[in-house]
Amino acid sequence: MSLQPDNLAGAPTASCSSIGAGQDEFAPEERAVLLKLAHESILSALEHREISLTPPSPHLAEPRGAFTTIYCHGLLRGCVGYVLPVISLYRTVAETARAAAFEDTRFSPVTLEEAPEMEVSLSILSLLKAINPDEVEIGLHGLVVSDGKRRGLLLPQVPVEHQWDRVTFIEQTCHKAGLPHDAWQKGATLEAFTAEVFGDRETR
């Protein structure tokens, strides 16, 4: 399975926690468990110790795609995720947290000194569904554009943070895939997902 870095994830904002498909799926207690897991996964790697990756509940054992984004002093420090639901959400959060901290090639690996200053934001993805371009809603949908072996993904909060309109959002997702901006009009596949986004700032 491949971990995918997201290079357009912006800083967390108050609006991020409301992005998704309506009612929140994850209770405050579940959010707290997942955020604690992300931090503990990174810290345990730095301290060379093992942690349990057994999901504590059936809900968190469900296969889901998710992205973990790390910030340090308000600046992006790493963002990596699984698009497809290949393993349990609990393990996905643990693995993507470590990958964001140590494997996002745009940044140097997180250090033990930085760990206490880190802020984590999680984006839990719904299943991908084909969508018509005119059905894309800013602030609700994340997008995946694919054509052959090229594939690009942008999370729902990205166009909100960059103040993009619908067409710009689709074009930028094409750009993320390494495709021409008008690839969505020339046969590229357009799929959408929703994301429940929450982070350390919202749970304090």
Side-chain angles (χ1 to χ4, degrees):
M1 71 189 71
S2 61
L3 290 160
Q4 299 194 7
D6 177 50
N7 60 11
L8 282 178
T13 64
S15 63
C16 283
S17 60
S18 65
I19 295 171
Q23 186 175 2
D24 291 337
E25 177 183 353
F26 296 91
E29 296 79 8
E30 292 177 311
R31 293 181 173 204
V33 166
L34 292 174
L35 289 167
K36 180 179 179 181
L37 170 65
H39 283 280
E40 184 64 12
S41 181
I42 295 168
L43 187 60
S44 64
L46 289 166
E47 296 176 343
H48 306 288
R49 56 183 173 82
E50 298 295 323
I51 61 172
S52 172
L53 296 181
T54 302
S57 70
H59 191 203
L60 299 185
E62 294 176 359
R64 296 291 288 273
F67 277 71
T68 297
T69 306
I70 299 171
Y71 304 90
C72 193
H73 302 295
L75 299 176
L76 179 65
R77 195 65 177 79
C79 182
V80 174
Y82 293 149
V83 178
L84 300 178
V86 291
I87 54 177
S88 74
L89 173 59
Y90 197 75
R91 181 177 284 272
T92 294
V93 168
E95 291 188 3
T96 58
R98 284 192 178 185
F102 308 117
E103 299 175 20
D104 190 333
T105 56
R106 297 166 296 160
F107 305 95
S108 60
V110 168
T111 65
L112 188 59
E113 290 73 25
E114 287 179 299
E117 306 298 325
M118 289 188 310
E119 291 186 342
V120 169
S121 177
L122 300 177
S123 300
I124 314 301
L125 310 188
S126 69
L127 298 178
L128 294 175
K129 292 184 178 180
I131 191 170
N132 293 322
D134 58 0
E135 295 174 335
V136 175
E137 294 185 35
I138 299 296
L140 175 64
H141 293 124
L143 291 180
V144 174
V145 172
S146 55
D147 190 3
K149 294 183 179 180
R150 294 187 179 275
R151 182 184 183 118
L153 175 147
L154 289 179
L155 297 170
Q157 59 266 41
V158 173
V160 175
E161 293 164 356
H162 291 272
Q163 299 182 339
W164 292 338
D165 59 21
R166 179 177 56 83
V167 172
T168 303
F169 182 27
I170 299 173
E171 290 177 343
Q172 289 296 322
T173 312
C174 291
H175 177 72
K176 183 72 180 293
L179 296 168
H181 283 186
D182 61 352
W184 60 283
Q185 297 173 309
K186 297 181 177 180
T189 299
L190 185 64
E191 297 173 291
F193 60 91
T194 57
E196 186 169 334
V197 182
F198 53 91
D200 293 326
R201 293 186 182 187
E202 291 84 9
T203 57
R204 288 174 181 170

